[in-house]
């Protein structure tokens, strides 16, 4: 069995849009060097100054060097019958595979990552970067951040790994069903193996235990495997991949609760690699108050400390809702905050004002209409519960919607919930958001179309008694 220890220097941190500037290959059987290859590469693009500062390789050094496609056949000859080995192997492998593909050569190879192997064979080190690992193992590095020097150091590390692999981690990693070459280099394989194939949310954590990504899944293990097998070489994706040090999860019982949990956790934890659902939403509400003349007024404003009668994610939604109420219940546009002038209100395609804004309608009569309007608006907002599968055989999930507003979810082992108050008592109260509204609406729409299975929708009346 032969191994090709590979190290490259590049114009940037990801293979898409960047090129190799230097490559070194050491062929070994794990005990001695059998052959080696090293060359500067003309990348065909300018080398950024910060790369020159790191590696010492500048444009003048590569101007007369061969292009990769001129060396592609020779490089492939060294690699084709060997196991590809590198420190953080995905980085080097992706670059080399991409360059060979551009030269018309399809490259496939088994891979070994000296980061992952070092974590197993030499556990407990505070860091597994090449520099720190060499210091812990008393390996001297010459020409750091040059392909030849780093390849030589990786070779020395690899021989120590071979010599100390008493539990056969290297052979295990090379088996066809092993996930070693697809898992993040800093992730313990046992954590992946112990993941459940059940609905829930999962968390990727960095080296300090901070959640950097939250996701949802019907099958947690399958979804996480998809993250790792479908990753690409874009810089941010590779950085994300390398920052995953551990995984945790929480079971949800069903897809709906997994959706709700994910949305809540993203807004609670603010994970660095979640882009969608992370930004705060300006919510608006319809409020009620009595003016100095005793008239009950309605107004629209941002939700802060005061709890609104109705809440909306957008000002336009709140205004549309209030316009409809003013029209349908003959309310005064000015006393409802839809007309800001101090003059008597005008029609604006609504029914004519009855004179409340100029006190020609008594507060008692007008306020009665406002209360009827509020009751009517509440009736348009349904109250219901969604019952789904729980996290165990004898458990159900409960999602509560009250007056059209999401209240939260919970789990219960009995089926004796008969009143609205019963449902309130088993849920954990949560904030509604635009994303939550979208999730609930999608499930309601599927239910109405007969396309949703495994859930039971229970309508509830406003007087807290279950509708049979």
């Amino acid at each position: 069995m032969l191994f090709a220890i590979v190290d490259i220097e590049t114009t940037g941190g990801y293979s898409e849009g960047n090129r190799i500037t230097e490559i070194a290959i050491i062929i070994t059987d794990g005990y001695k060097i059998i052959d080696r290859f090293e060359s500067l590469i003309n990348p065909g693009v300018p080398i950024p100054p910060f790369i020159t500062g790191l590696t010492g390789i500048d444009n003048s050094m590569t101007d007369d060097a061969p292009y990769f496609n001129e060396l592609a056949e020779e490089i492939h000859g060294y690699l084709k019958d060997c196991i590809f080995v590198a420190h953080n192997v995905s980085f080097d492998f992706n670059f080399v595979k991409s360059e060979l593909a551009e030269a018309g050569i399809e490259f496939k190879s088994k891979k070994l990552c000296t980061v992952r192997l070092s974590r197993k064979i030499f556990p407990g080190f505070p860091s597994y970067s090449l520099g720190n690992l060499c210091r812990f193992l008393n390996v001297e590095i010459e020409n750091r951040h040059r392909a030849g020097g780093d390849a030589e150091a990786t070779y020395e590390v690899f021989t120590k790994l071979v010599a100390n692999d008493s539990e056969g981690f290297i052979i295990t990693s090379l088996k066809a069903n092993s996930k070693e070459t697809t898992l993040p280099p800093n992730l313990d394989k046992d954590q992946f193996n112990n993941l459940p194939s059940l609905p829930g949310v999962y968390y990727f954590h960095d080296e300090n235990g901070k959640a950097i990504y939250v996701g949802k899944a019907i099958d947690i293990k399958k979804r996480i495997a998809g993250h790792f097998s479908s990753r690409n070489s874009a810089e941010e994706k590779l950085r994300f991949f390398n920052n995953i040090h551990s995984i945790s999860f929480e079971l949800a019982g069903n897809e709906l609760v997994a959706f709700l949990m994910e949305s809540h956790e993203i807004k609670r934890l603010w994970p660095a690699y979640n882009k969608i659902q992370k930004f705060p939403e300006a919510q608006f509400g319809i409020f009620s108050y009595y003016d100095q003349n005793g008239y009950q007024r309605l107004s629209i404003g941002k939700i802060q400390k005061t709890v609104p009668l109705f809440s909306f994610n957008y000002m336009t939604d709140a205004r549309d809702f209030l316009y409809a109420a003013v029209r349908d219940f003959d309310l005064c546009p000015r006393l409802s905050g839809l007309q800001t002038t101090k003059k008597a209100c005008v029609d604006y395609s609504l029914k004519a004002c009855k004179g409340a804004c100029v006190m020609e309608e008594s507060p008692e009569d007008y306020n009665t209409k406002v209360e009827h309007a509020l009751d009517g608006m509440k009736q348009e907002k349904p109250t219901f519960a969604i019952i789904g599968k729980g996290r165990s055989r004898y458990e159900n999930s409960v999602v509560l919607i009250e007056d059209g507003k999401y209240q939260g979810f919970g789990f219960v082992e009995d089926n004796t919930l008969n009143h609205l108050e019963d449902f309130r008592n088993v849920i954990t109260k949560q904030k509604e958001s635009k994303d939550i509204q979208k999730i609930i609406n999608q499930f309601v729409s599927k239910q109405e179309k007969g396309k949703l299975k495994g859930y039971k929708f229970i309508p509830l009346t406003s007087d807290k008694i279950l509708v049979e």
Side-chain angles (χ1 to χ4, degrees):
M1 186 183 299
L2 294 180
F3 305 90
I5 312 296
V6 180
D7 192 88
I8 58 174
E9 302 302 330
T10 67
T11 60
Y14 55 101
S15 61
E16 184 180 345
N18 288 292
R19 307 305 292 263
I20 294 175
T21 59
E22 189 176 37
I23 186 169
I25 304 170
I26 296 175
I27 306 300
T28 178
D29 59 1
Y31 303 96
K32 63 182 181 298
I33 294 176
I34 296 172
D35 203 352
R36 65 196 314 157
F37 172 86
E38 184 176 351
S39 179
L40 285 165
I41 303 288
N42 188 331
V45 295
I47 299 173
F50 76 93
I51 294 292
T52 297
L54 178 67
T55 67
I57 301 173
D58 59 26
N59 294 309
S60 65
M61 295 170 62
T62 59
D63 283 344
D64 296 326
Y67 291 97
F68 191 94
N69 60 4
E70 298 177 66
L71 299 173
E73 290 288 352
E74 185 176 4
I75 290 171
H76 184 248
Y78 280 97
L79 301 175
K80 65 180 182 179
D81 296 322
C82 299
I83 295 164
F84 194 105
V85 182
H87 204 71
N88 194 353
V89 69
S90 295
F91 175 85
D92 302 81
F93 185 84
N94 286 337
F95 263 98
V96 172
K97 182 178 180 178
S98 178
E99 294 273 17
L100 287 172
E102 191 163 316
I105 300 173
E106 183 181 3
F107 177 56
K108 294 182 179 180
S109 174
K110 290 186 175 181
K111 297 173 287 183
L112 286 175
C113 179
T114 51
V115 177
R116 292 194 61 78
L117 289 174
S118 296
R119 286 182 173 277
K120 291 184 175 293
I121 297 173
F122 300 118
F125 290 163
S127 170
Y128 289 86
S129 68
L130 184 59
N132 287 327
L133 188 58
C134 287
R135 186 168 69 255
F136 300 143
L137 297 177
N138 296 316
V139 172
E140 185 177 349
I141 304 181
E142 296 181 1
N143 296 323
R144 184 74 172 104
H145 295 304
R146 289 295 299 271
D150 286 355
E152 188 75 36
T154 304
Y155 161 74
E156 294 293 339
V157 168
F158 185 67
T159 59
K160 291 182 180 293
L161 291 171
V162 171
N164 289 274
D165 186 19
S166 59
E167 296 189 40
F169 289 118
I170 293 175
I171 296 299
T172 300
S173 298
L174 291 171
K175 290 181 179 179
N177 61 350
S178 172
K179 295 287 184 181
E180 293 289 346
T181 58
T182 61
L183 296 180
N186 298 308
L187 179 67
D188 187 338
K189 183 183 175 184
D190 289 340
Q191 281 200 352
F192 175 81
N193 288 339
N194 292 329
L195 292 171
S197 296
L198 295 169
V201 293
Y202 55 90
Y203 307 78
F204 293 152
H205 303 272
D206 65 12
E207 60 184 337
N208 298 315
K210 183 178 180 180
I212 59 173
Y213 184 83
V214 177
K216 64 179 179 304
I218 298 176
D219 183 326
I220 292 175
K221 188 170 188 176
K222 183 177 180 179
R223 179 68 188 95
I224 290 177
H227 273 290
F228 302 152
S229 62
S230 64
R231 74 184 189 279
N232 59 42
S233 57
E235 182 176 21
E236 187 172 8
K237 290 287 187 180
L238 287 175
R239 190 182 299 118
F240 168 54
F241 190 71
N242 292 333
N243 279 342
I244 299 172
H245 286 250
S246 62
I247 302 173
S248 63
F249 63 88
E250 188 171 348
L251 296 181
N254 58 71
E255 185 181 21
L256 172 58
V257 174
F259 267 104
L260 299 174
M261 290 171 66
E262 179 201 40
S263 183
H264 174 72
E265 291 295 86
I266 289 173
K267 290 176 174 61
R268 181 179 73 88
L269 297 171
W270 206 259
Y273 290 96
N274 283 98
K275 302 300 182 185
I276 302 174
Q277 297 195 36
K278 207 167 78 170
F279 300 103
E281 299 164 347
Q283 288 194 321
F284 297 87
I286 295 177
F287 300 87
S288 170
Y289 67 97
Y290 290 87
D291 66 16
Q292 61 185 4
N293 296 314
Y295 289 94
Q296 185 174 5
R297 293 188 175 219
L298 301 176
S299 65
I300 299 173
K302 285 188 177 181
I303 298 175
Q304 296 176 346
K305 292 183 178 180
T306 304
V307 178
L309 299 171
F310 307 96
S311 60
F312 305 85
N313 288 299
Y314 301 100
M315 171 68 84
T316 54
D317 292 340
R319 289 183 67 85
D320 289 345
F321 186 76
L322 191 51
Y323 264 117
V326 170
R327 182 191 63 231
D328 295 342
F329 293 92
D330 295 338
L331 302 185
C332 174
R334 186 156 72 84
L335 296 189
S336 301
L338 299 178
Q339 179 182 320
T340 57
T341 65
K342 293 183 179 180
K343 298 179 180 179
C345 57
V346 294
D347 193 336
Y348 291 124
S349 297
L350 301 168
K351 291 186 178 181
C353 175
K354 300 301 183 183
C357 57
V358 290
M359 301 182 65
E360 292 183 4
E361 183 177 13
S362 70
E364 293 77 15
D365 290 342
Y366 183 76
N367 294 346
T368 297
K369 292 196 303 183
V370 173
E371 290 300 327
H372 287 159
L374 293 177
D375 289 341
M377 288 189 280
K378 289 179 181 179
Q379 289 176 8
E380 293 178 8
K381 299 286 188 177
T383 296
F384 60 96
I386 306 174
I387 310 299
K389 292 181 180 179
R391 299 161 298 183
S392 65
R393 181 179 178 182
Y394 301 104
E395 185 181 70
N396 288 324
S397 69
V398 177
V399 176
L400 180 61
I401 313 299
E402 193 170 344
D403 293 329
K405 185 177 176 61
Y406 170 69
Q407 300 299 309
F409 72 87
F411 297 96
V412 62
E413 290 189 358
D414 61 66
N415 294 313
T416 60
L417 304 180
N418 295 311
H419 301 275
L420 178 55
E421 195 63 30
D422 295 336
F423 288 91
R424 287 175 176 159
N425 290 336
V426 300
I427 66 164
T428 299
K429 186 77 173 179
Q430 291 186 339
K431 285 186 65 175
E432 189 181 48
S433 68
K434 178 182 69 176
D435 300 300
I436 292 292
Q437 285 182 340
K438 184 178 179 181
I439 291 166
I440 297 295
N441 289 340
Q442 286 176 340
F443 273 76
V444 170
S445 177
K446 287 182 180 179
Q447 170 72 4
E448 291 173 345
K449 295 176 182 178
K451 296 181 178 181
L452 190 66
K453 296 181 179 180
Y455 299 89
K456 183 179 180 181
F457 284 63
I458 301 178
L460 301 166
T461 62
S462 59
D463 62 358
K464 306 181 183 180
I465 303 299
L466 179 67
V467 176
E468 296 296 341

